[in-house]
Amino acid sequence: MSQSPPRPFHAHRSGPLAGVIRVPGDKSISHRALMLGALATGVTRITGLLEAEDVLNTARVIELLGARVARREGVFEVAGRGVGGLTRPSGPLDFGNSGTGCRLTMGVIAGHDVEARLVGDASLSRRPMRRVLTPLRQMGLGVAEDRETLPLTIRGTSSLVPIEYATPVPSAQVKSAILFAGLGASGETTVIEREPTRDHTERMLRYFGAEVKTAERDGRNAVTVTGDAELEGKPVAVPGDPSSAAFLAAAAAIVPGSEVTIAGVLVNETRTGFYTTLKEMGADVTFANPREENGEPIADIRVRHRPLTGVVVPAGRAPSMIDEYPVLSAVAAFASGETRMEGLAELKVKESDRLAATAAGLAAQGGLAKVDGDTLIVAGNTTARGGGTVVTHMDHRIAMAFLILGLGADRPVAVDDITFVATSFPAFTALMGTVGARLEAR
Ligand code: S3P
C-alpha cells in the first residue's frame, strides 16, 4: 500500500448532514477476535469483522501461524490451534501499518516454541516496540536484535514464566500482549496499570473461557490471567467502531443544522471519552437503545449540532479517547474559546507524531494551535478558514480528521494522501457522502 502513488483529497463546506448509518466493526475487537480464535480450540465465527488493511493483515498473520481462516458470506471462520498449538510461519509476518496487530501478536507468539520475523511499513517501522518486548523478555521471549523497532526476529518458548508487571505507559496494547503471553505461562500473570485502558482483551478472554481477575491495587488497575489456559472457540459479533463513528459525530457537531445517528456502536466506557467531551462542549449527544453483545455494551449514538464552547480535556481521560484527539481538534476549531487537551505524550508515538501533525494541520488552515509539552491548545471559533493542504504522514486518522474540518471551513481543505484511510475505514468517503458530506478526489 505504501508503494502506490498518493491520493490527494478535498473536503468542501457542506450543508446540514443527516441520516442513520452504521460504521464498520471495531478495530480493537476485530484484531482480538482473530487472535483468540487462533488460540482457541474449535471454530470462532466472527460477524461484522472490520475488513480493513490492519485487520486483514492480522488474519494473514494468524494463518501463517497455523490457524485456518475462511470467509463465508461475510462471516469469518477461524479454526484455532489451541494455546501452545501455533506453528512456525513459512515467511515473515507483515503487519503493514498496524501497531495493534504487531504488538498483540508478539504476546501471542511468546508462549510458543516458534521463531518469527516481524515486519511492517515505514510508519510502523518507526514505532517503539521496547514497551512490549521488555515485559515479554522477562517472561522468556527471545529477541534476536537489540533494537527498539521493526524488523525484529522473536523466538517464543513453551516454558514461559508468569510475571507481575507495572506498565510505565498507559497502553492497552502492552497490557494485552502480556495477558496473551500469560495464557501460556504456568501460574498467574498480572499487569498493573495506573489508568485503566480499553479492556476488550479482558472481556473477550473471559468470554472464551480464560480465568481473568481485575482488582484495584493502591488506586491502580490490576489484571490477572491464569496460565495454562484452555480457550474454546465462540461466536463473536463485532460492534461498530466508536473511533470511526467519531468522525461522523464530529461532522454533525461542526456543521450547523446537522443530525446524524450512528447505529450499533460500541459504548464501552474505556472508549467513550470523545463523546463525553463532545457533550461538555455543548453538542447534543445521546446513546439510545443500549444493549449488550458478547460481553460488550452497544448503543445507537445520535449527535445534533449545537453551538460549541471550548473545554479543558483532563489528562486522565486520554486513554478513553486516545485515537480521537485529531478529530476533537477539528471540532475545537469551531468552538468559541480555547480547548486545552492535556496529557497527550502517547500521541507522539502513534501512526505519526499526531501532536505535531495535528498542530501543523490546523496551522495550514489558518488555525491557531499550540503544543505546550504534552498539552495541545486549539484556539476556537473562526480560526480555521481552510484553504491549506494537510500532510498526513501515512496516518489514517490525520487524513480523516482534517477532511471533517473541511466540511465546516470557509475554503476547501486538502489532504495530501488518503491512501492510509484503508487501514481502518475503507468506506469512509462513501459513508460520509451518504450523510451529505462533500468530499472529492483532487
Ligand atoms: C489499541 C490501543 C491503543 C490505540 C490503538 C488500538 C488496542 O494503543 O491507540 O489504536 O486495540 O489495544 P495503545 O495501547 O498503544 O495506547
Side-chain angles (χ1 to χ4, degrees):
M1 195 165 63
S2 47
Q3 307 301 314
S4 54
R7 293 173 55 211
F9 235 74
H10 255 153
H12 298 266
R13 193 186 183 101
S14 301
L17 306 176
V20 179
I21 48 159
R22 285 184 179 273
V23 290
D26 183 66
K27 183 151 71 71
S28 295
I29 292 181
S30 294
H31 282 296
R32 286 158 173 81
L34 289 168
M35 291 177 194
L36 285 187
L39 288 171
T41 54
V43 176
T44 291
R45 283 190 183 76
I46 311 169
T47 50
L49 186 90
L50 171 64
E51 296 191 51
E53 289 294 331
D54 279 9
V55 173
L56 295 175
N57 280 327
T58 290
R60 281 188 280 271
V61 161
I62 63 162
E63 277 188 301
L64 277 166
L65 289 168
R68 271 183 300 120
V69 182
R71 184 182 187 281
R72 287 195 186 89
E73 288 161 15
V75 179
F76 280 76
E77 293 181 356
V78 181
R81 307 286 302 215
V83 174
L86 297 176
T87 52
R88 186 185 172 129
S90 56
L93 306 180
D94 188 348
F95 296 94
N97 195 252
S98 178
T100 308
C102 180
R103 294 187 179 124
L104 268 58
T105 300
M106 288 174 171
V108 168
I109 290 175
H112 294 81
D113 288 318
V114 159
E115 187 176 276
R117 178 131 179 106
L118 315 182
V119 301
D121 71 12
S123 156
L124 183 57
S125 301
R126 283 191 288 268
R127 297 181 65 187
M129 296 298 155
R130 196 158 281 149
R131 52 180 56 203
V132 182
L133 294 175
T134 297
L136 294 182
R137 272 193 170 114
Q138 287 177 19
M139 297 178 82
L141 181 80
V143 186
E145 301 83 0
D146 184 21
R147 235 202 338 258
E148 165 84 320
T149 51
L150 297 188
L152 289 166
T153 307
I154 63 171
R155 168 169 271 289
T157 169
S158 55
S159 48
L160 223 50
V161 290
I163 56 167
E164 180 171 303
Y165 189 77
T167 53
V169 287
S171 166
Q173 295 179 1
V174 174
K175 172 176 66 177
S176 302
I178 299 169
L179 294 175
F180 283 165
L183 293 170
S186 353
E188 294 193 332
T189 294
T190 299
V191 183
I192 302 167
E193 46 183 10
R194 239 176 305 141
E195 296 145 278
T197 60
R198 65 190 70 193
D199 63 356
H200 312 304
T201 298
E202 296 89 306
R203 288 173 189 251
M204 205 182 287
L205 277 172
R206 283 195 193 103
Y207 178 61
F208 274 69
E211 199 184 321
V212 178
K213 290 177 286 200
T214 48
E216 205 206 285
R217 248 200 241 172
D218 306 324
R220 297 178 304 171
N221 185 36
V223 185
T224 300
V225 67
T226 304
D228 294 327
E230 283 180 23
L231 307 180
E232 207 187 306
K234 291 275 164 142
V236 178
V238 183
D241 192 325
S243 299
S244 298
F247 296 106
L248 284 130
I254 287 173
V255 178
S258 298
E259 175 172 340
V260 170
T261 298
I262 314 121
V265 182
L266 175 76
V267 291
N268 177 320
E269 64 179 22
T270 62
R271 296 286 299 281
T272 50
F274 169 76
Y275 298 93
T276 305
T277 308
L278 212 52
K279 263 190 220 173
E280 287 175 359
M281 294 177 85
D284 178 3
V285 182
T286 53
F287 288 3
N289 194 14
R291 52 211 187 264
E292 203 176 294
E293 249 174 73
N294 40 260
E296 292 280 4
I298 297 157
D300 304 329
I301 300 179
R302 192 197 64 193
V303 181
R304 282 198 284 208
H305 176 267
R306 294 277 181 274
L308 301 169
T309 313
V311 292
V312 177
V313 189
R317 195 177 291 165
S320 69
M321 57 176 292
I322 193 66
D323 292 335
E324 282 67 79
Y325 284 102
V327 76
L328 181 71
S329 305
V331 175
F334 297 94
S336 60
E338 185 178 280
T339 294
R340 279 180 73 86
M341 297 164 248
E342 297 172 348
L344 304 190
E346 278 297 296
L347 278 200
K348 297 175 190 162
V349 291
K350 293 296 177 188
E351 285 81 332
S352 68
D353 176 346
R354 283 187 181 156
L355 206 47
T358 301
L362 284 166
Q365 311 313 322
L368 287 177
K370 201 169 85 188
V371 177
D372 179 9
D374 296 338
T375 298
L376 177 62
I377 304 154
V378 177
N381 234 348
T382 55
T383 59
R385 294 188 301 272
T389 298
V390 175
V391 184
T392 53
H393 300 285
M394 302 174 79
D395 190 327
H396 54 138
R397 298 201 199 278
I398 295 296
M400 292 186 278
F402 282 98
L403 289 174
I404 296 300
L405 186 146
L407 303 179
D410 296 336
R411 291 192 287 149
V413 168
V415 300
D416 67 343
D417 188 10
I418 63 152
T419 310
F420 286 84
V421 167
T423 62
S424 70
F425 199 168
F428 171 73
T429 55
L431 255 182
M432 290 304 306
T434 65
V435 295
R438 292 171 58 215
L439 301 177
E440 59 187 33
R442 281 218 282 173

